[in-house]
Amino acid sequence: MSRRLIVPSERSKLDPFVVVTGDASPRDQRDLMERPFFSLAKAKRTRPILYQTGDVSVEVYAVPEHGMATIWDADVLIWAASQIVEAENLGLKTSRFLRFTPYQLLIAVGRQTGARDYKLLKGALARLQATVVRTSIRHGENWRRHQFSWINEWEECARGDGRIEGMEFVLPDWFYRGVIDRSLVLTIDPAYFSLTGGIERWLYRVARKHAGRQPRGWLFEVAHLHEKSGSLAKLADFAFDLRRIAARQPLPGYRLNIERRDRRELLRILPCKSSTAPVDGAVNQLGTSGVRAIGTSGVPVSGFRECKPQLTLWQDATIPGRNLESNLESNCCSGPVRVADNAAASAELPTEHSSEQSLPHPDHKTGGGR
């Protein structure tokens, strides 16, 4: 009779980070803000996302049972990043193993707390765990691909009557490292959670990452945005959606203008009054995005550690591979970039991508804050 090998849960090797409040400023992880990591539709998506530019690749795969994690499911990751950053800023220990109540999460991301909302949350956790991501972003010197799911495992604690009292999940190391690296997180407007459309949610994250608080904003070619979104919609339908969004102006802190040059349709994103405020310094750079002949344009304690020792997942606090080349990536899509009318990417950015050009600008100022 064969004996079954029992593999211990990953949680048994990690100290839990116990979240005790939802009062943390929303933060988003930069790598997730502009590349196609999530489905933008509420309908189940099983067709993979395959995105490649230079040596940066993103592949996202879904299983038929659950479908791909959506941009609404990503609210769970935004909430987790917000809690981790808040605790780190307060000098508290954190880990990839989060323990919390569903009520905390739902309230923080602007959801209701009825039975239906708890059911939807469990559906989101299922999709986040079932979605498989393979990417070369932030790869190490001798490593070229990192494969993971958005949540390694999760569990709920329920009373005898079925009422959920607590939840816990384990985040992937790739995501956790990108959160505790202070240069790879940006504050977002709490009004983001009230955006109902998948494209406008994705567009806000692109705007926050690229345009930041730069007075002259950022200029995108619509065809380039379509490629970066990973949307299954045809380009013509995607462009029509952008025009409707620009007519409504729903993005908090940003104004959208449709422009046309040489038969090309462009979207200019300009910052306006926003409720977000700088949090730890500037991290964004400026550049063009897929266009030719144009240029750049008191919170309470959020958590505490339950166990005394803290597991060390790496030898020191240095986290290599900051993803500052993503702005250069936005310079290539539909042709070479020439002199332009906004600001350009800093010469200090990595230049390993021969197809991606950076244009220095004397008035360049870094933008965006954590």
Side-chain angles (χ1 to χ4, degrees):
M1 178 177 174
S2 62
R3 299 182 63 182
R4 181 180 179 185
L5 178 63
I6 299 178
V7 180
S9 167
E10 186 178 14
R11 291 171 295 169
S12 65
K13 304 176 183 179
L14 297 169
D15 294 333
F17 167 49
V18 182
V19 178
V20 296
T21 180
D23 295 333
S25 299
R27 273 100 167 182
D28 207 347
Q29 211 281 324
R30 285 168 55 98
D31 296 323
L32 276 57
M33 295 178 74
E34 59 146 339
R35 295 190 176 94
F37 279 106
F38 302 98
S39 170
L40 303 186
K42 292 184 178 179
K44 181 187 293 186
R45 172 172 177 168
T46 57
R47 180 175 169 182
I49 294 174
L50 304 175
Y51 175 78
Q52 179 81 39
T53 177
D55 64 355
V56 174
S57 66
V58 174
E59 302 172 23
V60 186
Y61 300 93
V63 297
E65 180 182 359
H66 299 290
M68 185 178 295
T70 71
I71 199 163
W72 293 272
D73 300 336
D75 288 356
V76 173
L77 301 178
I78 293 175
W79 175 83
S82 306
Q83 296 297 329
I84 292 170
V85 171
E86 189 63 35
E88 292 276 340
N89 286 343
L90 293 170
L92 302 172
K93 295 291 186 179
T94 63
S95 81
R96 298 186 291 119
F97 175 17
L98 275 72
R99 183 172 289 165
F100 60 97
T101 65
Y103 180 86
Q104 293 171 306
L105 193 160
L106 292 171
I107 289 297
V109 299
R111 308 284 179 90
Q112 300 297 316
T113 56
R116 178 177 179 273
D117 301 283
Y118 283 87
K119 182 178 179 180
L120 291 174
L121 173 58
K122 288 188 284 187
L125 294 175
R127 283 186 294 273
L128 289 167
Q129 183 182 22
T131 299
V132 175
V133 180
R134 185 183 303 148
T135 182
S136 62
I137 299 172
R138 286 191 279 121
H139 58 70
E141 181 179 357
N142 298 313
W143 301 90
R144 292 295 176 264
R145 290 291 185 273
H146 198 130
Q147 181 168 308
F148 56 90
S149 295
W150 293 119
I151 289 178
N152 291 359
E153 57 176 294
W154 65 279
E155 190 172 12
E156 59 182 355
C157 176
R159 298 190 315 195
D161 61 2
R163 182 176 179 83
I164 306 301
E165 289 191 327
M167 279 186 171
E168 51 189 41
F169 58 65
V170 178
L171 295 167
D173 184 62
W174 184 90
F175 177 78
Y176 182 68
R177 290 197 185 204
V179 171
I180 63 175
D181 184 341
R182 295 173 182 271
S183 73
L184 295 180
V185 181
L186 291 173
T187 56
I188 63 173
D189 196 307
Y192 164 81
F193 297 116
S194 66
L195 296 176
T196 58
I199 292 180
E200 60 190 44
R201 274 178 162 243
W202 176 81
L203 195 58
Y204 171 81
R205 300 171 87 185
V206 170
R208 180 67 185 93
K209 195 271 180 182
H210 277 292
R213 301 183 184 88
Q214 304 305 318
R216 303 173 74 177
W218 203 283
L219 192 61
F220 287 96
E221 184 170 355
V222 170
H224 180 59
L225 279 175
H226 179 253
E227 180 184 353
K228 288 165 68 69
S229 72
S231 172
L232 292 177
K234 295 179 181 179
L235 174 58
D237 295 332
F238 181 83
F240 179 71
D241 286 337
L242 288 187
R243 292 185 212 113
R244 291 198 303 178
I245 293 172
R248 291 188 292 109
Q249 298 295 341
L251 301 193
Y254 295 96
R255 181 167 182 81
L256 307 175
N257 294 328
I258 298 293
E259 301 180 8
R260 289 177 174 79
R261 298 188 186 182
D262 301 328
R263 297 182 179 180
R264 290 175 298 124
E265 191 169 22
L266 312 169
L267 179 69
R268 186 179 295 276
I269 303 175
L270 294 168
C272 55
K273 185 177 180 181
S274 173
S275 62
T276 58
V279 175
D280 290 319
V283 291
N284 226 356
Q285 303 288 339
L286 290 182
T288 58
S289 297
V291 289
R292 301 187 302 271
I294 38 180
T296 63
S297 39
V299 290
V301 174
S302 67
F304 59 85
R305 221 176 26 139
E306 182 176 85
C307 303
K308 292 294 183 182
Q310 178 71 15
L311 178 66
T312 299
L313 300 176
W314 48 90
Q315 291 185 347
D316 52 45
T318 301
I319 302 174
R322 292 182 176 181
N323 177 32
L324 297 179
E325 79 278 3
S326 60
N327 285 336
L328 290 179
E329 170 192 316
S330 290
N331 290 345
C332 68
C333 174
S334 56
V337 177
R338 298 196 295 268
V339 163
D341 62 345
N342 292 348
S346 169
E348 297 177 359
L349 290 175
T351 57
E352 64 256 37
H353 309 319
S354 59
S355 64
E356 299 172 357
Q357 303 182 31
S358 172
L359 306 176
H361 190 281
D363 297 328
H364 166 73
K365 296 180 180 179
T366 57
R370 285 189 52 253

